[in-house]
PDB file of all heavy atoms in Angstrom:
ATOM      1  N   LEU A 285     -53.595   6.484 -56.144  1.00 96.00           N
ATOM      2  CA  LEU A 285     -53.359   5.665 -54.966  1.00 96.00           C
ATOM      3  C   LEU A 285     -54.061   4.330 -55.145  1.00 96.00           C
ATOM      4  O   LEU A 285     -55.235   4.295 -55.509  1.00 96.00           O
ATOM      5  CB  LEU A 285     -53.881   6.352 -53.707  1.00 96.00           C
ATOM      6  CG  LEU A 285     -53.350   7.756 -53.420  1.00 96.00           C
ATOM      7  CD1 LEU A 285     -54.102   8.370 -52.240  1.00 96.00           C
ATOM      8  CD2 LEU A 285     -51.859   7.711 -53.126  1.00 96.00           C
ATOM      9  N   VAL A 286     -53.354   3.260 -54.867  1.00 97.00           N
ATOM     10  CA  VAL A 286     -53.908   1.923 -55.002  1.00 97.00           C
ATOM     11  C   VAL A 286     -53.632   1.151 -53.725  1.00 97.00           C
ATOM     12  O   VAL A 286     -52.475   0.939 -53.360  1.00 97.00           O
ATOM     13  CB  VAL A 286     -53.319   1.182 -56.211  1.00 97.00           C
ATOM     14  CG1 VAL A 286     -53.903  -0.223 -56.299  1.00 97.00           C
ATOM     15  CG2 VAL A 286     -53.593   1.948 -57.494  1.00 97.00           C
ATOM     16  N   GLU A 287     -54.695   0.718 -53.065  1.00 97.00           N
ATOM     17  CA  GLU A 287     -54.564  -0.048 -51.830  1.00 97.00           C
ATOM     18  C   GLU A 287     -54.575  -1.546 -52.118  1.00 97.00           C
ATOM     19  O   GLU A 287     -55.151  -1.997 -53.108  1.00 97.00           O
ATOM     20  CB  GLU A 287     -55.710   0.270 -50.859  1.00 97.00           C
ATOM     21  CG  GLU A 287     -55.817   1.723 -50.458  1.00 97.00           C
ATOM     22  CD  GLU A 287     -56.964   2.419 -51.151  1.00 97.00           C
ATOM     23  OE1 GLU A 287     -57.269   2.071 -52.317  1.00 97.00           O
ATOM     24  OE2 GLU A 287     -57.569   3.308 -50.525  1.00 97.00           O
ATOM     25  N   SER A 288     -53.978  -2.279 -51.216  1.00 97.00           N
ATOM     26  CA  SER A 288     -54.032  -3.731 -51.259  1.00 97.00           C
ATOM     27  C   SER A 288     -53.831  -4.259 -49.846  1.00 97.00           C
ATOM     28  O   SER A 288     -53.422  -3.523 -48.947  1.00 97.00           O
ATOM     29  CB  SER A 288     -52.979  -4.310 -52.201  1.00 97.00           C
ATOM     30  OG  SER A 288     -51.670  -3.968 -51.776  1.00 97.00           O
ATOM     31  N   GLY A 289     -54.112  -5.526 -49.649  1.00 98.00           N
ATOM     32  CA  GLY A 289     -53.844  -6.170 -48.381  1.00 98.00           C
ATOM     33  C   GLY A 289     -55.043  -6.422 -47.500  1.00 98.00           C
ATOM     34  O   GLY A 289     -54.913  -7.050 -46.442  1.00 98.00           O
ATOM     35  N   GLY A 290     -56.212  -5.954 -47.892  1.00 98.00           N
ATOM     36  CA  GLY A 290     -57.398  -6.207 -47.105  1.00 98.00           C
ATOM     37  C   GLY A 290     -57.805  -7.666 -47.160  1.00 98.00           C
ATOM     38  O   GLY A 290     -57.324  -8.443 -47.977  1.00 98.00           O
ATOM     39  N   GLY A 291     -58.698  -8.032 -46.272  1.00 98.00           N
ATOM     40  CA  GLY A 291     -59.174  -9.396 -46.220  1.00 98.00           C
ATOM     41  C   GLY A 291     -59.974  -9.645 -44.972  1.00 98.00           C
ATOM     42  O   GLY A 291     -60.389  -8.718 -44.279  1.00 98.00           O
ATOM     43  N   SER A 292     -60.189 -10.916 -44.685  1.00 98.00           N
ATOM     44  CA  SER A 292     -60.954 -11.340 -43.518  1.00 98.00           C
ATOM     45  C   SER A 292     -60.051 -12.054 -42.526  1.00 98.00           C
ATOM     46  O   SER A 292     -59.267 -12.929 -42.910  1.00 98.00           O
ATOM     47  CB  SER A 292     -62.090 -12.274 -43.937  1.00 98.00           C
ATOM     48  OG  SER A 292     -63.012 -11.614 -44.777  1.00 98.00           O
ATOM     49  N   VAL A 293     -60.162 -11.669 -41.270  1.00 98.00           N
ATOM     50  CA  VAL A 293     -59.374 -12.283 -40.207  1.00 98.00           C
ATOM     51  C   VAL A 293     -60.243 -12.462 -38.972  1.00 98.00           C
ATOM     52  O   VAL A 293     -61.289 -11.824 -38.831  1.00 98.00           O
ATOM     53  CB  VAL A 293     -58.129 -11.455 -39.833  1.00 98.00           C
ATOM     54  CG1 VAL A 293     -57.169 -11.352 -41.005  1.00 98.00           C
ATOM     55  CG2 VAL A 293     -58.536 -10.066 -39.356  1.00 98.00           C
ATOM     56  N   GLN A 294     -59.787 -13.314 -38.078  1.00 98.00           N
ATOM     57  CA  GLN A 294     -60.456 -13.498 -36.798  1.00 98.00           C
ATOM     58  C   GLN A 294     -59.992 -12.448 -35.803  1.00 98.00           C
ATOM     59  O   GLN A 294     -58.907 -11.873 -35.952  1.00 98.00           O
ATOM     60  CB  GLN A 294     -60.175 -14.896 -36.255  1.00 98.00           C
ATOM     61  CG  GLN A 294     -60.734 -16.011 -37.109  1.00 98.00           C
ATOM     62  CD  GLN A 294     -60.503 -17.379 -36.501  1.00 98.00           C
ATOM     63  OE1 GLN A 294     -60.087 -17.503 -35.351  1.00 98.00           O
ATOM     64  NE2 GLN A 294     -60.783 -18.413 -37.274  1.00 98.00           N
ATOM     65  N   PRO A 295     -60.800 -12.171 -34.798  1.00 98.00           N
ATOM     66  CA  PRO A 295     -60.354 -11.245 -33.762  1.00 98.00           C
ATOM     67  C   PRO A 295     -59.003 -11.647 -33.193  1.00 98.00           C
ATOM     68  O   PRO A 295     -58.743 -12.827 -32.946  1.00 98.00           O
ATOM     69  CB  PRO A 295     -61.450 -11.339 -32.697  1.00 98.00           C
ATOM     70  CG  PRO A 295     -62.670 -11.725 -33.474  1.00 98.00           C
ATOM     71  CD  PRO A 295     -62.172 -12.647 -34.560  1.00 98.00           C
ATOM     72  N   GLY A 296     -58.150 -10.654 -32.996  1.00 98.00           N
ATOM     73  CA  GLY A 296     -56.801 -10.906 -32.536  1.00 98.00           C
ATOM     74  C   GLY A 296     -55.792 -11.104 -33.640  1.00 98.00           C
ATOM     75  O   GLY A 296     -54.585 -11.127 -33.373  1.00 98.00           O
ATOM     76  N   GLY A 297     -56.266 -11.239 -34.865  1.00 98.00           N
ATOM     77  CA  GLY A 297     -55.387 -11.443 -35.991  1.00 98.00           C
ATOM     78  C   GLY A 297     -54.764 -10.157 -36.490  1.00 98.00           C
ATOM     79  O   GLY A 297     -54.985  -9.078 -35.942  1.00 98.00           O
ATOM     80  N   SER A 298     -53.994 -10.289 -37.562  1.00 98.00           N
ATOM     81  CA  SER A 298     -53.252  -9.163 -38.116  1.00 98.00           C
ATOM     82  C   SER A 298     -53.416  -9.085 -39.621  1.00 98.00           C
ATOM     83  O   SER A 298     -53.620 -10.093 -40.297  1.00 98.00           O
ATOM     84  CB  SER A 298     -51.755  -9.282 -37.790  1.00 98.00           C
ATOM     85  OG  SER A 298     -51.516  -9.255 -36.397  1.00 98.00           O
ATOM     86  N   LEU A 299     -53.316  -7.882 -40.128  1.00 98.00           N
ATOM     87  CA  LEU A 299     -53.268  -7.617 -41.556  1.00 98.00           C
ATOM     88  C   LEU A 299     -52.315  -6.460 -41.795  1.00 98.00           C
ATOM     89  O   LEU A 299     -52.137  -5.605 -40.925  1.00 98.00           O
ATOM     90  CB  LEU A 299     -54.642  -7.247 -42.123  1.00 98.00           C
ATOM     91  CG  LEU A 299     -55.673  -8.341 -42.324  1.00 98.00           C
ATOM     92  CD1 LEU A 299     -57.015  -7.710 -42.712  1.00 98.00           C
ATOM     93  CD2 LEU A 299     -55.229  -9.320 -43.394  1.00 98.00           C
ATOM     94  N   ARG A 300     -51.723  -6.429 -42.965  1.00 98.00           N
ATOM     95  CA  ARG A 300     -50.927  -5.290 -43.372  1.00 98.00           C
ATOM     96  C   ARG A 300     -51.480  -4.727 -44.663  1.00 98.00           C
ATOM     97  O   ARG A 300     -51.502  -5.414 -45.692  1.00 98.00           O
ATOM     98  CB  ARG A 300     -49.451  -5.649 -43.551  1.00 98.00           C
ATOM     99  CG  ARG A 300     -48.579  -4.403 -43.783  1.00 98.00           C
ATOM    100  CD  ARG A 300     -47.116  -4.715 -43.920  1.00 98.00           C
ATOM    101  NE  ARG A 300     -46.787  -5.329 -45.201  1.00 98.00           N
ATOM    102  CZ  ARG A 300     -45.573  -5.367 -45.731  1.00 98.00           C
ATOM    103  NH1 ARG A 300     -44.550  -4.821 -45.065  1.00 98.00           N
ATOM    104  NH2 ARG A 300     -45.370  -5.962 -46.886  1.00 98.00           N
ATOM    105  N   LEU A 301     -51.915  -3.495 -44.609  1.00 98.00           N
ATOM    106  CA  LEU A 301     -52.400  -2.804 -45.785  1.00 98.00           C
ATOM    107  C   LEU A 301     -51.257  -2.051 -46.451  1.00 98.00           C
ATOM    108  O   LEU A 301     -50.346  -1.562 -45.786  1.00 98.00           O
ATOM    109  CB  LEU A 301     -53.511  -1.814 -45.431  1.00 98.00           C
ATOM    110  CG  LEU A 301     -54.706  -2.369 -44.657  1.00 98.00           C
ATOM    111  CD1 LEU A 301     -55.746  -1.265 -44.461  1.00 98.00           C
ATOM    112  CD2 LEU A 301     -55.312  -3.563 -45.365  1.00 98.00           C
ATOM    113  N   SER A 302     -51.327  -1.964 -47.762  1.00 97.00           N
ATOM    114  CA  SER A 302     -50.317  -1.267 -48.527  1.00 97.00           C
ATOM    115  C   SER A 302     -50.991  -0.272 -49.457  1.00 97.00           C
ATOM    116  O   SER A 302     -52.046  -0.552 -50.022  1.00 97.00           O
ATOM    117  CB  SER A 302     -49.481  -2.262 -49.344  1.00 97.00           C
ATOM    118  OG  SER A 302     -48.533  -1.597 -50.157  1.00 97.00           O
ATOM    119  N   CYS A 303     -50.382   0.876 -49.603  1.00 96.00           N
ATOM    120  CA  CYS A 303     -50.868   1.899 -50.520  1.00 96.00           C
ATOM    121  C   CYS A 303     -49.714   2.334 -51.401  1.00 96.00           C
ATOM    122  O   CYS A 303     -48.698   2.827 -50.907  1.00 96.00           O
ATOM    123  CB  CYS A 303     -51.430   3.093 -49.750  1.00 96.00           C
ATOM    124  SG  CYS A 303     -51.922   4.490 -50.789  1.00 96.00           S
ATOM    125  N   ALA A 304     -49.875   2.146 -52.698  1.00 96.00           N
ATOM    126  CA  ALA A 304     -48.872   2.555 -53.668  1.00 96.00           C
ATOM    127  C   ALA A 304     -49.292   3.866 -54.310  1.00 96.00           C
ATOM    128  O   ALA A 304     -50.408   3.978 -54.820  1.00 96.00           O
ATOM    129  CB  ALA A 304     -48.681   1.478 -54.728  1.00 96.00           C
ATOM    130  N   ALA A 305     -48.411   4.837 -54.271  1.00 93.00           N
ATOM    131  CA  ALA A 305     -48.675   6.151 -54.847  1.00 93.00           C
ATOM    132  C   ALA A 305     -47.905   6.308 -56.145  1.00 93.00           C
ATOM    133  O   ALA A 305     -46.733   5.950 -56.236  1.00 93.00           O
ATOM    134  CB  ALA A 305     -48.289   7.258 -53.868  1.00 93.00           C
ATOM    135  N   SER A 306     -48.566   6.851 -57.137  1.00 93.00           N
ATOM    136  CA  SER A 306     -47.920   7.114 -58.415  1.00 93.00           C
ATOM    137  C   SER A 306     -48.383   8.457 -58.946  1.00 93.00           C
ATOM    138  O   SER A 306     -49.282   9.086 -58.395  1.00 93.00           O
ATOM    139  CB  SER A 306     -48.217   5.998 -59.419  1.00 93.00           C
ATOM    140  OG  SER A 306     -49.611   5.900 -59.678  1.00 93.00           O
ATOM    141  N   GLY A 307     -47.775   8.882 -60.033  1.00 89.00           N
ATOM    142  CA  GLY A 307     -48.055  10.199 -60.565  1.00 89.00           C
ATOM    143  C   GLY A 307     -47.116  11.223 -59.958  1.00 89.00           C
ATOM    144  O   GLY A 307     -46.011  10.901 -59.530  1.00 89.00           O
ATOM    145  N   PHE A 308     -47.571  12.460 -59.908  1.00 81.00           N
ATOM    146  CA  PHE A 308     -46.744  13.534 -59.384  1.00 81.00           C
ATOM    147  C   PHE A 308     -46.897  13.594 -57.873  1.00 81.00           C
ATOM    148  O   PHE A 308     -47.862  14.160 -57.355  1.00 81.00           O
ATOM    149  CB  PHE A 308     -47.129  14.871 -60.022  1.00 81.00           C
ATOM    150  CG  PHE A 308     -46.178  15.973 -59.698  1.00 81.00           C
ATOM    151  CD1 PHE A 308     -44.940  16.040 -60.312  1.00 81.00           C
ATOM    152  CD2 PHE A 308     -46.506  16.946 -58.768  1.00 81.00           C
ATOM    153  CE1 PHE A 308     -44.044  17.058 -60.016  1.00 81.00           C
ATOM    154  CE2 PHE A 308     -45.625  17.967 -58.461  1.00 81.00           C
ATOM    155  CZ  PHE A 308     -44.387  18.024 -59.087  1.00 81.00           C
ATOM    156  N   THR A 309     -45.946  13.004 -57.174  1.00 81.00           N
ATOM    157  CA  THR A 309     -46.027  12.879 -55.720  1.00 81.00           C
ATOM    158  C   THR A 309     -45.117  13.837 -54.972  1.00 81.00           C
ATOM    159  O   THR A 309     -45.083  13.810 -53.745  1.00 81.00           O
ATOM    160  CB  THR A 309     -45.685  11.444 -55.296  1.00 81.00           C
ATOM    161  OG1 THR A 309     -44.342  11.137 -55.674  1.00 81.00           O
ATOM    162  CG2 THR A 309     -46.626  10.449 -55.951  1.00 81.00           C
ATOM    163  N   ALA A 310     -44.396  14.691 -55.665  1.00 78.00           N
ATOM    164  CA  ALA A 310     -43.392  15.539 -55.034  1.00 78.00           C
ATOM    165  C   ALA A 310     -43.986  16.507 -54.014  1.00 78.00           C
ATOM    166  O   ALA A 310     -43.303  16.880 -53.061  1.00 78.00           O
ATOM    167  CB  ALA A 310     -42.612  16.309 -56.091  1.00 78.00           C
ATOM    168  N   ASP A 311     -45.216  16.917 -54.201  1.00 80.00           N
ATOM    169  CA  ASP A 311     -45.820  17.929 -53.337  1.00 80.00           C
ATOM    170  C   ASP A 311     -46.723  17.351 -52.250  1.00 80.00           C
ATOM    171  O   ASP A 311     -47.419  18.104 -51.573  1.00 80.00           O
ATOM    172  CB  ASP A 311     -46.636  18.915 -54.174  1.00 80.00           C
ATOM    173  CG  ASP A 311     -45.757  19.777 -55.054  1.00 80.00           C
ATOM    174  OD1 ASP A 311     -44.605  20.042 -54.669  1.00 80.00           O
ATOM    175  OD2 ASP A 311     -46.232  20.192 -56.122  1.00 80.00           O
ATOM    176  N   LEU A 312     -46.714  16.052 -52.078  1.00 87.00           N
ATOM    177  CA  LEU A 312     -47.555  15.447 -51.051  1.00 87.00           C
ATOM    178  C   LEU A 312     -47.092  15.874 -49.665  1.00 87.00           C
ATOM    179  O   LEU A 312     -45.916  15.771 -49.326  1.00 87.00           O
ATOM    180  CB  LEU A 312     -47.532  13.924 -51.157  1.00 87.00           C
ATOM    181  CG  LEU A 312     -48.153  13.324 -52.416  1.00 87.00           C
ATOM    182  CD1 LEU A 312     -48.062  11.803 -52.366  1.00 87.00           C
ATOM    183  CD2 LEU A 312     -49.593  13.772 -52.575  1.00 87.00           C
ATOM    184  N   ASP A 313     -48.033  16.346 -48.863  1.00 91.00           N
ATOM    185  CA  ASP A 313     -47.721  16.782 -47.505  1.00 91.00           C
ATOM    186  C   ASP A 313     -47.927  15.670 -46.485  1.00 91.00           C
ATOM    187  O   ASP A 313     -47.120  15.497 -45.574  1.00 91.00           O
ATOM    188  CB  ASP A 313     -48.584  17.978 -47.129  1.00 91.00           C
ATOM    189  CG  ASP A 313     -48.271  19.199 -47.952  1.00 91.00           C
ATOM    190  OD1 ASP A 313     -47.081  19.468 -48.186  1.00 91.00           O
ATOM    191  OD2 ASP A 313     -49.229  19.895 -48.359  1.00 91.00           O
ATOM    192  N   THR A 314     -49.016  14.951 -46.623  1.00 93.00           N
ATOM    193  CA  THR A 314     -49.296  13.839 -45.739  1.00 93.00           C
ATOM    194  C   THR A 314     -49.867  12.681 -46.538  1.00 93.00           C
ATOM    195  O   THR A 314     -50.433  12.860 -47.619  1.00 93.00           O
ATOM    196  CB  THR A 314     -50.293  14.203 -44.622  1.00 93.00           C
ATOM    197  OG1 THR A 314     -51.572  14.507 -45.192  1.00 93.00           O
ATOM    198  CG2 THR A 314     -49.798  15.388 -43.812  1.00 93.00           C
ATOM    199  N   ILE A 315     -49.731  11.499 -45.990  1.00 94.00           N
ATOM    200  CA  ILE A 315     -50.367  10.321 -46.552  1.00 94.00           C
ATOM    201  C   ILE A 315     -50.809   9.459 -45.380  1.00 94.00           C
ATOM    202  O   ILE A 315     -50.121   9.394 -44.356  1.00 94.00           O
ATOM    203  CB  ILE A 315     -49.433   9.567 -47.510  1.00 94.00           C
ATOM    204  CG1 ILE A 315     -50.192   8.485 -48.271  1.00 94.00           C
ATOM    205  CG2 ILE A 315     -48.222   8.991 -46.780  1.00 94.00           C
ATOM    206  CD1 ILE A 315     -49.421   7.946 -49.464  1.00 94.00           C
ATOM    207  N   GLY A 316     -51.959   8.842 -45.517  1.00 96.00           N
ATOM    208  CA  GLY A 316     -52.437   8.055 -44.399  1.00 96.00           C
ATOM    209  C   GLY A 316     -53.660   7.242 -44.743  1.00 96.00           C
ATOM    210  O   GLY A 316     -53.948   6.976 -45.913  1.00 96.00           O
ATOM    211  N   TRP A 317     -54.366   6.862 -43.691  1.00 98.00           N
ATOM    212  CA  TRP A 317     -55.467   5.929 -43.815  1.00 98.00           C
ATOM    213  C   TRP A 317     -56.717   6.434 -43.115  1.00 98.00           C
ATOM    214  O   TRP A 317     -56.652   6.962 -41.996  1.00 98.00           O
ATOM    215  CB  TRP A 317     -55.082   4.574 -43.213  1.00 98.00           C
ATOM    216  CG  TRP A 317     -53.937   3.921 -43.921  1.00 98.00           C
ATOM    217  CD1 TRP A 317     -52.611   4.042 -43.640  1.00 98.00           C
ATOM    218  CD2 TRP A 317     -54.031   3.042 -45.044  1.00 98.00           C
ATOM    219  NE1 TRP A 317     -51.866   3.293 -44.509  1.00 98.00           N
ATOM    220  CE2 TRP A 317     -52.714   2.670 -45.386  1.00 98.00           C
ATOM    221  CE3 TRP A 317     -55.095   2.533 -45.789  1.00 98.00           C
ATOM    222  CZ2 TRP A 317     -52.440   1.809 -46.447  1.00 98.00           C
ATOM    223  CZ3 TRP A 317     -54.821   1.686 -46.844  1.00 98.00           C
ATOM    224  CH2 TRP A 317     -53.509   1.321 -47.160  1.00 98.00           C
ATOM    225  N   PHE A 318     -57.844   6.265 -43.785  1.00 98.00           N
ATOM    226  CA  PHE A 318     -59.159   6.464 -43.214  1.00 98.00           C
ATOM    227  C   PHE A 318     -59.919   5.151 -43.294  1.00 98.00           C
ATOM    228  O   PHE A 318     -59.522   4.234 -44.009  1.00 98.00           O
ATOM    229  CB  PHE A 318     -59.929   7.551 -43.967  1.00 98.00           C
ATOM    230  CG  PHE A 318     -59.475   8.952 -43.674  1.00 98.00           C
ATOM    231  CD1 PHE A 318     -58.261   9.418 -44.152  1.00 98.00           C
ATOM    232  CD2 PHE A 318     -60.270   9.814 -42.933  1.00 98.00           C
ATOM    233  CE1 PHE A 318     -57.843  10.710 -43.894  1.00 98.00           C
ATOM    234  CE2 PHE A 318     -59.859  11.114 -42.670  1.00 98.00           C
ATOM    235  CZ  PHE A 318     -58.649  11.560 -43.145  1.00 98.00           C
ATOM    236  N   ARG A 319     -61.015   5.084 -42.578  1.00 98.00           N
ATOM    237  CA  ARG A 319     -61.875   3.919 -42.687  1.00 98.00           C
ATOM    238  C   ARG A 319     -63.325   4.340 -42.522  1.00 98.00           C
ATOM    239  O   ARG A 319     -63.626   5.347 -41.901  1.00 98.00           O
ATOM    240  CB  ARG A 319     -61.511   2.843 -41.660  1.00 98.00           C
ATOM    241  CG  ARG A 319     -61.764   3.231 -40.211  1.00 98.00           C
ATOM    242  CD  ARG A 319     -61.260   2.144 -39.267  1.00 98.00           C
ATOM    243  NE  ARG A 319     -61.521   2.462 -37.873  1.00 98.00           N
ATOM    244  CZ  ARG A 319     -61.098   1.742 -36.848  1.00 98.00           C
ATOM    245  NH1 ARG A 319     -60.382   0.636 -37.065  1.00 98.00           N
ATOM    246  NH2 ARG A 319     -61.381   2.103 -35.602  1.00 98.00           N
ATOM    247  N   GLN A 320     -64.201   3.535 -43.094  1.00 98.00           N
ATOM    248  CA  GLN A 320     -65.622   3.812 -42.996  1.00 98.00           C
ATOM    249  C   GLN A 320     -66.394   2.501 -42.899  1.00 98.00           C
ATOM    250  O   GLN A 320     -66.286   1.639 -43.778  1.00 98.00           O
ATOM    251  CB  GLN A 320     -66.120   4.611 -44.198  1.00 98.00           C
ATOM    252  CG  GLN A 320     -67.557   5.066 -44.072  1.00 98.00           C
ATOM    253  CD  GLN A 320     -67.938   6.089 -45.117  1.00 98.00           C
ATOM    254  OE1 GLN A 320     -67.363   6.109 -46.210  1.00 98.00           O
ATOM    255  NE2 GLN A 320     -68.890   6.943 -44.786  1.00 98.00           N
ATOM    256  N   ALA A 321     -67.141   2.370 -41.829  1.00 97.00           N
ATOM    257  CA  ALA A 321     -68.023   1.232 -41.637  1.00 97.00           C
ATOM    258  C   ALA A 321     -69.423   1.607 -42.110  1.00 97.00           C
ATOM    259  O   ALA A 321     -69.786   2.785 -42.134  1.00 97.00           O
ATOM    260  CB  ALA A 321     -68.044   0.821 -40.172  1.00 97.00           C
ATOM    261  N   PRO A 322     -70.238   0.621 -42.485  1.00 91.00           N
ATOM    262  CA  PRO A 322     -71.595   0.922 -42.947  1.00 91.00           C
ATOM    263  C   PRO A 322     -72.376   1.745 -41.928  1.00 91.00           C
ATOM    264  O   PRO A 322     -72.403   1.414 -40.741  1.00 91.00           O
ATOM    265  CB  PRO A 322     -72.214  -0.459 -43.141  1.00 91.00           C
ATOM    266  CG  PRO A 322     -71.053  -1.352 -43.420  1.00 91.00           C
ATOM    267  CD  PRO A 322     -69.942  -0.817 -42.558  1.00 91.00           C
ATOM    268  N   GLY A 323     -73.002   2.806 -42.394  1.00 93.00           N
ATOM    269  CA  GLY A 323     -73.806   3.653 -41.535  1.00 93.00           C
ATOM    270  C   GLY A 323     -73.027   4.593 -40.648  1.00 93.00           C
ATOM    271  O   GLY A 323     -73.632   5.300 -39.835  1.00 93.00           O
ATOM    272  N   LYS A 324     -71.719   4.617 -40.779  1.00 96.00           N
ATOM    273  CA  LYS A 324     -70.895   5.478 -39.945  1.00 96.00           C
ATOM    274  C   LYS A 324     -70.108   6.469 -40.795  1.00 96.00           C
ATOM    275  O   LYS A 324     -69.922   6.265 -41.996  1.00 96.00           O
ATOM    276  CB  LYS A 324     -69.925   4.644 -39.103  1.00 96.00           C
ATOM    277  CG  LYS A 324     -70.599   3.713 -38.110  1.00 96.00           C
ATOM    278  CD  LYS A 324     -69.573   2.974 -37.270  1.00 96.00           C
ATOM    279  CE  LYS A 324     -70.236   2.065 -36.259  1.00 96.00           C
ATOM    280  NZ  LYS A 324     -69.230   1.333 -35.441  1.00 96.00           N
ATOM    281  N   GLU A 325     -69.668   7.522 -40.148  1.00 96.00           N
ATOM    282  CA  GLU A 325     -68.850   8.509 -40.833  1.00 96.00           C
ATOM    283  C   GLU A 325     -67.450   7.960 -41.081  1.00 96.00           C
ATOM    284  O   GLU A 325     -66.951   7.117 -40.341  1.00 96.00           O
ATOM    285  CB  GLU A 325     -68.754   9.790 -40.002  1.00 96.00           C
ATOM    286  CG  GLU A 325     -70.064  10.522 -39.815  1.00 96.00           C
ATOM    287  CD  GLU A 325     -69.898  11.798 -39.015  1.00 96.00           C
ATOM    288  OE1 GLU A 325     -68.787  12.030 -38.487  1.00 96.00           O
ATOM    289  OE2 GLU A 325     -70.861  12.563 -38.923  1.00 96.00           O
TER     290      GLU A 325
END
């Protein structure tokens, strides 16, 4: 999995993240996004 699209924006702005999957993907059940801020789960 390779992500792209991150960056810096002002409050109220927009970004689009992209995740490209490669390899053997036939058995994937779910795909999605997590996030982690410093000091947080």
